[in-house]
Amino acid sequence: MLVLDGWSSLNHRSIWNFTILTPTRKEYIIQLSNLSADSYTSDFIAEKIEAIINHIGSSKFAAVVSDNGANVRKAREIIQTKYPCIKNIRCISHCINLILCDIVQHSFANKILKKVNILASFFRNNAMADRNSS
């Protein structure tokens, strides 16, 4: 499985990582790139993905997994069209993150988070509580 994600560093560089996840759940970073100078369109990202697939061999990939940004979603679709045996999968972690970001916008979640933080602070700062939790 090929997993990819892009983000902006603190100095505003566009960093992309391409990681291989094996059936035994080992992870290997196959490529970490500063793509700041590039326009990362769906075609560009699909080319990056395809270069990795061709380098390793398409038969060794079952899926391409990423967030659901429009350019990356389209890149996954391009890859699945060229390689029908490689599935197009949206990352569940990104989905959960987006859902939770929406949830914590509500006042009830804010109240719960404040209470959880008080409880966590108690256990973090209370030596007796720390001894009893072991």
Side-chain angles (χ1 to χ4, degrees), residues 57-113:
S58 63
S59 64
K60 297 190 178 182
F61 290 94
V64 174
V65 181
S66 70
D67 65 8
N68 210 38
N71 57 341
V72 184
R73 182 179 64 240
K74 179 67 176 163
R76 289 192 326 257
E77 291 171 3
I78 291 168
I79 294 300
Q80 188 173 30
T81 300
K82 288 185 177 183
Y83 303 92
C85 63
I86 298 176
K87 300 299 178 202
N88 169 358
I89 299 178
R90 182 178 177 186
C91 178
I92 190 67
S93 296
H94 279 90
C95 295
I96 292 170
N97 183 48
L98 292 172
I99 291 167
L100 291 176
C101 286
D102 287 344
I103 289 172
V104 298
Q105 298 295 322
H106 295 282
S107 60
F108 79 90
N110 193 23
K111 291 176 189 175
I112 291 171
L113 287 173

Side-chain angles (χ1 to χ4, degrees), residues 3-106:
V3 181
L4 63 127
D5 196 14
W7 67 93
S8 294
S9 68
L10 294 175
N11 53 1
H12 307 290
R13 290 190 178 129
S14 180
I15 308 297
W16 285 75
N17 77 312
F18 298 83
T19 304
I20 293 175
L21 182 62
T22 69
T24 58
R25 296 190 174 185
K26 291 185 179 180
E27 297 178 27
Y28 300 95
I29 295 176
I30 191 74
Q31 186 175 340
L32 184 62
S33 301
N34 177 357
L35 300 180
S36 300
D38 301 295
S39 176
Y40 29 95
T41 63
S42 56
D43 290 329
F44 176 79
I45 295 169
E47 287 172 12
K48 291 288 189 186
I49 295 169
E50 189 169 19
I52 293 169
I53 289 170
N54 289 334
H55 177 71
I56 295 177
S58 63
S59 64
K60 297 190 178 182
F61 290 94
V64 174
V65 181
S66 70
D67 65 8
N68 210 38
N71 57 341
V72 184
R73 182 179 64 240
K74 179 67 176 163
R76 289 192 326 257
E77 291 171 3
I78 291 168
I79 294 300
Q80 188 173 30
T81 300
K82 288 185 177 183
Y83 303 92
C85 63
I86 298 176
K87 300 299 178 202
N88 169 358
I89 299 178
R90 182 178 177 186
C91 178
I92 190 67
S93 296
H94 279 90
C95 295
I96 292 170
N97 183 48
L98 292 172
I99 291 167
L100 291 176
C101 286
D102 287 344
I103 289 172
V104 298
Q105 298 295 322
H106 295 282

